[in-house]
Amino acid sequence: MEEHAGSERRRLAAAEAGAEPWRAWGPYLSERAWGTVREDYSEHGTAWDYFPHDHARSRTYRWSEDGLAGFSDEHQIFCFALALWNGRDPILKERLFGLAGPEGNHGEDAKEYWWYLDSTPTHSFMRWRYHYPQAEFPYADLVAVNRERGRDEPEFELVDTGVFDEDRYWAVEVVYAKADPHDVCVEITVSNRGPDAATLHVLPTLWFRNTWSWGLPNRDVKPVLHGDPGGGRLVARHQTLGQLVLEAGPGPDGSRPPALVCDNESNAERLWGLRGRSAYPKDGINDYLIHGAATVNPDLVGTKGSLHYALEVAGGASVTLRLRLAQTAPPPAIGAPPALDLSFSAVLSDRQAEADAFFAALVPAGASADEAAVVRQAVAGLMWGKQFYHFDVQQWLRGDPASPPLWAARRKGRNGAWWHMNSFDVISMPDPWEYPWYAAWDLAFHCVAIAEVDPGFAKQQLLLLLREWYQHPNGQIPAYEWAFGDVNPPVHAWAALRVFEIDGGTDFGFLSRIMHKLLLNFTWWVNRKDTDGNNVFEGGFLGLDNVGPFDRSAALPIADGLLEQSDGTGWMAMYALNMLEMSTVLALHDRTYEDIATKFFEHFAYIATAATKLWDDADGFFYDSLRVPGKGRTPMRYRSVAGLIPLCATTTVGTVTLVRLPELAQRVRWFLTNKPEYADVVGARRISDGGQQRRLLAMVDPERLLRVLRRMLSDEEFLSPYGIRSLSKRHEDKPFTVTLAGQDFTVGYEPAESTSGVFGGNSNWRGPVWMPVNFLLIEALREYAHFFGDGLRVEYPVRSGVQRTLTEVADDLADRLISLFVPDEHGRRPIYGACELFQTHPDWKDRLAFPEYFHGDNGAGLGAWHQTGWTALVLSLILHRR
């Protein structure tokens, strides 16, 4: 272990310094490119219908590619992935199947089982796992049964079809190990878990992303790929990448796998009844293998090629294949390609040992073996969730020169105001299949978790969305591709501070750079989401989707109404404090930031004090308020996570800081003397154990803090065995209903999938436990504990009679979240619910998923199954809790 310690850190340092491009190749291929906004050229923005799964095997993508266990360069010039065929399916398994948003009874949903088992930050060592049925894949049944089910019924999953009965499936595991930044050793192990011998076709596939057929100037040079007539090799040449070689070892029978070559061009005849650009289109290998069609090029020349293994494997046996993919010559790469060495056992063992050493150094000694496994697989999910994201919005709005003219209305439709955006980057995605596009507030949470292993990449990601080709000229941060103009919570300043701290708190250049961009975004919020300039904010759905009785992003169901939001106001108070913290840190090194610190100190005071309009003293809770001119305010008295967000707006300022920043200290004194009405939010002071005086800045004063915590820490309301619910359980028997314009709108406690179609109906903030807000609430409790010390105790849980410090409460909440992923005393993981296959089968139970959210009562994983992004925050909880 000692000889391998530090190897991955050295690679990271070399990549960060620009000395060696260890991040240049990685798992940047999407899990799904069909059904995305980028590929939608329809008149009315029907992305799922315009490019369905049935088209994906035959139709060339415009903006990205997808595949199984996918690997590519950072600009996705070349792509490498697996294709599989069990001999029974009607199509090759080239990509993961799932339901389009309109097909699922709870929105889009992947219907496959795969896992990210390992990845170092430089992708020097990676493992991926997939379970493939030996029976015909039940595509039609999955669509039909889910279509028949209503929102009040559970989703019909692949495991429910019986295709895994008697263990009749293939376990396919792929290992990548880099010999150098542009030389990757690949080991594929296929295991027949069934009792009988069976055949599996394995087709490692190399292809070029089609960038030559769109009619764009200077982009029409077509690369070329040749298959070796003797099999076992593909040689590719590209004008900028040079020469690539994919070398394959022999199969179990000693023969070299034959090469099959076609073109990454659309099958226009199948799709539209038109003549295509190639007689050997994108689905040529599919049609050749399954239907015996003459659709692969006999000359072995094209832009997409596979090496075809037909493996007969005995029941219970395994076969291992070896390949190597390397960049072997710079352009023009006209020489003969070299043979690649396939005896790379030392590379595999070294990279695995280095990965083991990396994670051994990362995970604290106090963590259990199960917790260490959670950390490692959470990191793997984050790393595999990085995808190449290309989207030139202006080009997309106009259409390509070689494509038919687009509808004029398109330019004023979806994302029409975001014409300036031009994305061409590797970005951390929320979920590689269900959400294969970045989401602004998700990404902020990803970065906090990523910073534990790769702070350089985390900082780059936070800065990326604030660059001028992403951030709108008016200061808004793009939300996500379905609607860049939607509003996500402003958590980027918080994330930047946390990443700065995790990285050691010394990169002041990063902090200064991001603060300048955030100043523009903060101003956008003040100008656009505080309609009356009274420091009480709106914002729309703010990432909480269907948390309320009606869609908060749509026009309100009552004329001239304005919804003043407790979460919007809480987020902005938190934003102001984050900016205050950032500016004070920078001011200690550059006094010019002291003026900015005083600005955000005062702005926080204004927001936090104005928020008292949203406080309901009778209930002891913050509520959204519907305000109608001439009719006053009507509180929306449903207790949700939106009313807990104000707790997150808190920090402390110590005497040492104020002494070193005398102008800020003087302004604070003047402000409290001349504007005493703000003293409740900035006036509390205590002497710490070290003798330093501290001042609490909090949107929720001590009295209200205790009252809100009585709601939050009650198992009759927000407290579940697995964290804090997003809606109070009291609404299970007492749903909240409001009548507006003669129509009733209701919100009730729903611990699992939502039965409401509000905001698309594909997620639920009406009861389940969500990792990101739990993480923020735990952090807020620690901040209050830092100020009050052990002198402040609360009953926890409420009605238990047990008094605990806020630190103890925060620790217990963290433990509840961690317990979602580790086996309990019966060996069962709460995330897997009642599914016995996942709970007890030795081949399934230790493969971890990181679901989007969790059942509010039993902790079962729900939503996007591989949403490792913000759910990976559990690794931070483990690292800091243990």
Side-chain angles (χ1 to χ4, degrees):
M1 182 74 76
E2 287 186 9
E3 64 181 293
H4 299 292
S7 295
E8 177 64 11
R9 289 290 177 192
R10 286 190 288 273
R11 279 190 288 269
L12 265 179
E16 201 64 30
E20 295 181 88
W22 282 102
R23 296 195 192 99
W25 289 13
Y28 307 141
L29 196 67
S30 178
E31 301 281 17
R32 175 175 66 84
W34 57 274
T36 60
V37 167
R38 281 161 290 159
E39 299 296 336
D40 178 20
Y41 287 80
S42 66
E43 182 177 7
H44 302 294
T46 52
W48 288 108
D49 296 329
Y50 182 78
F51 203 134
H53 175 268
D54 184 55
H55 283 199
R57 70 182 181 275
S58 306
R59 185 170 169 182
T60 305
Y61 295 124
R62 172 63 177 87
W63 297 100
S64 68
E65 296 283 347
D66 57 16
L68 300 177
F71 200 86
S72 79
D73 64 286
E74 61 188 339
H75 297 147
Q76 208 165 97
I77 295 170
F78 80 86
C79 304
F80 173 81
L82 284 189
L84 305 168
W85 186 46
N86 58 14
R88 294 180 171 87
D89 286 355
I91 59 174
L92 280 180
K93 179 66 68 175
E94 293 182 273
R95 57 191 49 81
L96 296 160
F97 174 72
L99 301 184
E103 291 176 321
N105 59 326
H106 294 288
E108 64 266 35
D109 185 35
K111 297 299 182 185
E112 307 255 22
Y113 301 115
W114 74 101
W115 298 267
Y116 309 117
L117 300 182
D118 232 331
S119 181
T120 56
T122 63
H123 314 298
S124 59
F125 182 76
M126 301 165 55
R127 289 191 302 139
W128 177 93
R129 173 89 165 212
Y130 173 59
H131 288 177
Y132 181 37
Q134 293 177 356
E136 181 177 341
F137 196 93
Y139 292 105
D141 285 350
L142 289 166
V143 173
V145 175
N146 280 286
R147 182 182 289 132
E148 293 168 0
R149 293 192 175 188
R151 292 188 185 278
D152 58 342
E153 297 178 274
E155 296 165 352
F156 183 63
E157 303 292 2
L158 181 59
V159 69
D160 300 326
T161 67
V163 293
F164 295 106
D165 292 352
E166 300 181 313
D167 288 347
R168 295 182 183 275
Y169 64 92
W170 297 97
V172 181
E173 188 161 314
V174 181
V175 176
Y176 292 102
K178 290 183 181 179
D180 68 38
H182 301 120
D183 182 359
V184 183
C185 305
V186 186
E187 189 171 80
I188 303 169
T189 301
V190 296
S191 302
N192 180 356
R193 293 298 193 234
D196 304 320
T199 299
L200 179 67
H201 298 259
V202 180
L203 295 98
T205 303
L206 180 68
W207 73 100
F208 288 106
R209 181 167 64 91
N210 189 327
T211 59
W212 57 84
S213 65
W214 311 109
L216 301 177
N218 303 317
R219 299 186 190 179
D220 57 350
V221 178
K222 189 175 179 178
V224 63
L225 181 150
H226 293 269
D228 191 312
R233 174 185 283 197
L234 298 172
V235 178
R237 292 182 176 87
H238 186 273
Q239 61 173 335
T240 60
L241 202 60
Q243 184 185 79
L244 286 172
V245 175
L246 176 63
E247 188 97 28
D253 61 358
S255 64
R256 290 164 64 84
L260 305 174
V261 180
C262 63
D263 286 307
N264 187 17
E265 300 280 2
S266 293
N267 186 341
E269 183 176 353
R270 173 185 179 250
L271 295 167
W272 307 295
L274 302 173
R275 183 178 179 181
R277 291 168 57 97
S278 171
Y280 314 106
K282 179 180 177 179
D283 54 10
I285 297 170
N286 176 93
D287 291 353
Y288 168 82
L289 188 62
I290 295 176
H291 305 298
T295 50
V296 294
N297 190 337
D299 295 330
L300 298 176
V301 179
T303 50
K304 175 183 177 181
S306 296
L307 299 171
H308 177 211
Y309 292 94
L311 305 176
E312 177 79 16
V313 186
S318 299
V319 169
T320 296
L321 307 173
R322 282 194 168 181
L323 303 97
R324 193 160 188 163
L325 175 65
Q327 187 176 13
T328 52
I334 56 177
L340 301 184
D341 183 7
L342 296 175
S343 57
F344 47 66
S345 296
V347 176
L348 289 175
S349 60
D350 283 349
R351 293 300 93 83
Q352 177 154 9
E354 290 158 5
D356 292 343
F358 176 81
F359 286 104
L362 174 70
V363 179
S368 68
D370 286 317
E371 290 172 339
V374 172
V375 169
R376 188 158 181 167
Q377 289 188 53
V379 172
L382 285 168
M383 298 300 105
W384 278 90
K386 293 157 63 172
Q387 295 177 18
F388 170 76
Y389 186 85
H390 186 198
F391 195 10
D392 182 336
V393 177
Q394 187 173 49
Q395 185 68 53
W396 178 78
L397 290 169
R398 291 174 176 172
D400 293 309
S403 301
L406 298 180
W407 297 268
R410 175 183 177 85
R411 301 190 187 186
K412 296 182 180 179
R414 173 176 288 147
N415 296 327
W418 290 79
W419 53 267
H420 73 285
M421 277 194 62
N422 193 341
S423 308
F424 193 80
D425 301 282
V426 172
I427 305 180
S428 176
M429 302 294 165
D431 179 274
W433 193 95
E434 292 199 23
Y435 306 124
W437 29 262
Y438 70 85
W441 82 304
D442 300 58
L443 183 60
F445 291 109
H446 302 183
C447 290
V448 173
I450 290 171
E452 303 285 359
V453 294
D454 189 355
F457 182 74
K459 288 184 283 188
Q460 181 267 342
Q461 293 284 282
L462 288 173
L463 286 165
L464 186 64
L465 294 196
L466 295 167
R467 297 305 303 269
E468 51 272 22
W469 51 90
Y470 280 84
Q471 187 176 27
H472 198 281
N474 66 18
Q476 186 178 8
I477 295 173
Y480 41 75
E481 68 175 32
W482 285 93
F484 286 126
D486 268 354
V487 184
N488 276 189
V491 292
H492 290 75
W494 167 82
L497 277 168
R498 297 303 166 261
V499 169
F500 171 77
E501 292 163 359
I502 292 167
D503 189 36
T506 59
D507 192 349
F508 301 105
F510 160 71
L511 207 59
S512 174
R513 189 177 173 196
I514 201 165
M515 185 171 191
H516 287 130
K517 299 290 189 180
L518 289 169
L519 286 168
L520 185 61
N521 178 244
F522 189 91
T523 303
W524 176 85
W525 272 90
V526 172
N527 290 339
R528 298 296 182 95
K529 295 301 175 182
D530 179 10
T531 301
D532 293 339
N534 62 359
N535 289 300
V536 179
F537 288 79
E538 304 91 50
F541 86 115
L542 284 176
L544 306 186
D545 294 17
N546 59 358
V547 71
F550 45 78
D551 187 345
R552 300 191 302 171
S553 275
L556 291 176
I558 185 169
D560 301 323
L562 183 69
L563 188 68
E564 298 178 324
Q565 296 176 214
S566 55
D567 54 340
T569 306
W571 289 123
M572 282 304 290
M574 174 181 161
Y575 197 174
L577 285 183
N578 297 150
M579 296 294 276
L580 170 62
E581 287 185 59
M582 201 177 294
S583 56
T584 54
V585 168
L586 291 169
L588 294 174
H589 297 267
D590 182 347
R591 293 288 296 277
T592 59
Y593 285 94
E594 200 166 356
D595 291 345
I596 299 176
T598 61
K599 176 260 190 299
F600 283 108
F601 165 77
E602 295 188 15
H603 210 134
F604 162 74
Y606 298 144
I607 295 171
T609 301
T612 58
K613 299 181 180 73
L614 304 176
W615 173 257
D616 189 289
D617 202 53
D619 287 359
F621 205 75
F622 287 94
Y623 294 125
D624 289 356
S625 180
L626 184 62
R627 185 160 59 84
V628 180
K631 297 183 180 179
R633 286 184 171 85
T634 301
M636 300 287 102
R637 286 193 171 88
Y638 60 92
R639 291 203 276 277
S640 78
V641 68
L644 298 179
I645 296 301
L647 292 174
C648 301
T650 180
T651 191
T652 57
V653 178
T655 304
V656 172
T657 299
L658 293 175
V659 167
R660 294 181 63 184
L661 301 175
E663 290 183 19
L664 175 61
Q666 181 180 356
R667 185 63 182 177
V668 169
R669 287 193 296 271
W670 180 93
F671 191 81
L672 293 175
T673 300
N674 292 275
K675 299 188 176 186
E677 64 270 28
Y678 299 105
D680 286 344
V681 297
V682 296
R685 288 181 291 180
R686 288 178 66 86
I687 304 297
S688 69
D689 293 340
Q692 182 184 172
Q693 185 184 93
R694 293 189 174 276
R695 188 180 292 277
L696 177 69
L697 282 66
M699 183 171 166
V700 184
D701 65 28
E703 179 185 349
R704 289 174 179 167
L705 170 66
L706 295 176
R707 297 188 67 187
V708 173
L709 290 182
R710 283 197 63 81
R711 302 290 189 192
M712 190 178 92
L713 305 180
S714 168
D715 52 21
E716 296 175 1
E717 294 217 37
F718 287 97
L719 182 64
S720 90
Y722 304 102
I724 301 300
R725 301 178 174 105
S726 50
L727 191 77
S728 170
K729 194 175 173 67
R730 74 183 291 273
H731 292 303
E732 185 172 32
D733 299 324
K734 299 177 181 178
F736 170 81
T737 299
V738 61
T739 302
L740 299 171
Q743 185 177 356
D744 289 343
F745 297 88
T746 299
V747 57
Y749 177 73
E750 298 181 273
E753 292 95 344
S754 174
T755 61
S756 165
V758 171
F759 210 83
N762 66 337
S763 70
N764 187 12
W765 288 82
R766 296 183 170 192
V769 172
W770 290 78
M771 184 67 74
V773 291
N774 269 262
F775 193 87
L776 289 174
L777 290 168
I778 289 170
E779 191 174 83
L781 288 173
R782 297 197 188 284
E783 193 67 46
Y784 286 113
H786 180 58
F787 179 77
F788 289 111
D790 293 345
L792 178 63
R793 293 175 177 266
V794 296
E795 188 180 29
Y796 179 74
V798 172
R799 301 185 191 281
S800 68
V802 178
Q803 296 290 317
R804 297 181 185 269
T805 66
L806 295 184
T807 296
E808 290 171 333
V809 173
D811 287 347
D812 185 72
L813 289 175
D815 289 343
R816 292 180 186 227
L817 292 164
I818 293 168
S819 75
L820 285 160
F821 298 90
V822 297
D824 62 17
E825 64 272 19
H826 305 294
R828 301 176 72 87
R829 300 180 196 268
I831 59 169
Y832 288 142
C835 182
E836 290 303 310
L837 183 68
F838 283 88
Q839 292 288 15
T840 60
H841 195 294
D843 209 26
W844 297 70
K845 66 186 181 71
D846 294 326
R847 320 289 175 195
L848 294 178
F850 294 83
E852 185 178 5
Y853 56 97
F854 309 90
H855 194 291
D857 295 335
N858 62 37
L862 301 166
W865 195 243
H866 294 84
Q867 176 134 346
T868 51
W870 62 25
T871 305
L873 287 167
V874 67
L875 77 88
S876 296
L877 293 175
I878 292 172
L879 297 183
H880 296 282
R881 178 74 182 95
R882 302 294 178 242

